[in-house]
Amino acid sequence: EVQLVESGGGLVQPGKPLQLACETSGFTASNYYITWVRRAPGKGLEWVATTYTDWERTAIAESVKGRFTVSRNVAKTTLFLQMNTLKPEDTAVYYCAASNTWSRATMDAPITTETFDYWGQGTQVTVSS
């Protein structure tokens, strides 16, 4: 069974860091693009970052560039989204998703559940004092 499981969410103060994990199983995740998206309260899905199928290169959205980075474990089964200097506007449910194909241009279009092949259940991040 294909699974992506996010963890690490929680309540954090503005300016503090938080690291999310996306643990994959049931498929060869290193053959897929793994994308982080988020949904803020009352808003649509927003692209955050995508790790390419080599699990080395990552594209980061301008809205979080310089604050968010992505790393992986040696086994190439888990990706980590390191979020630094968090802001209240980063409050959202964060999802990781897998897809066979990906393009930067696609991330500018509305993201739906059809955009990716597999989804995790999401993890809530709340940035508040």
Side-chain angles (χ1 to χ4, degrees), residues 23-113:
E23 184 174 358
T24 67
S25 62
F27 68 116
T28 306
S30 56
N31 290 340
Y32 286 74
Y33 295 88
I34 305 296
T35 297
W36 290 93
V37 297
R38 65 185 181 183
R39 186 191 297 275
K43 296 189 177 181
L45 290 166
E46 177 191 10
W47 174 60
V48 175
T50 296
T51 297
Y52 287 68
T53 54
D54 59 9
W55 274 49
E56 298 294 342
R57 296 171 293 155
T58 298
I60 305 284
E62 286 298 323
S63 60
V64 301
K65 189 172 288 185
R67 298 190 298 121
F68 289 16
T69 59
V70 178
S71 62
R72 62 166 176 85
N73 67 345
V74 173
K76 292 188 177 181
T77 58
T78 302
L79 286 170
F80 303 97
L81 180 67
Q82 178 67 40
M83 307 184 293
N84 296 326
T85 319
L86 282 163
K87 305 175 182 180
E89 51 263 44
D90 294 317
T91 294
V93 178
Y94 285 72
Y95 301 90
C96 61
S99 57
N100 279 309
T101 61
W102 182 85
S103 71
R104 176 62 185 88
T106 304
M107 299 300 101
D108 290 332
I111 296 173
T112 72
T113 55

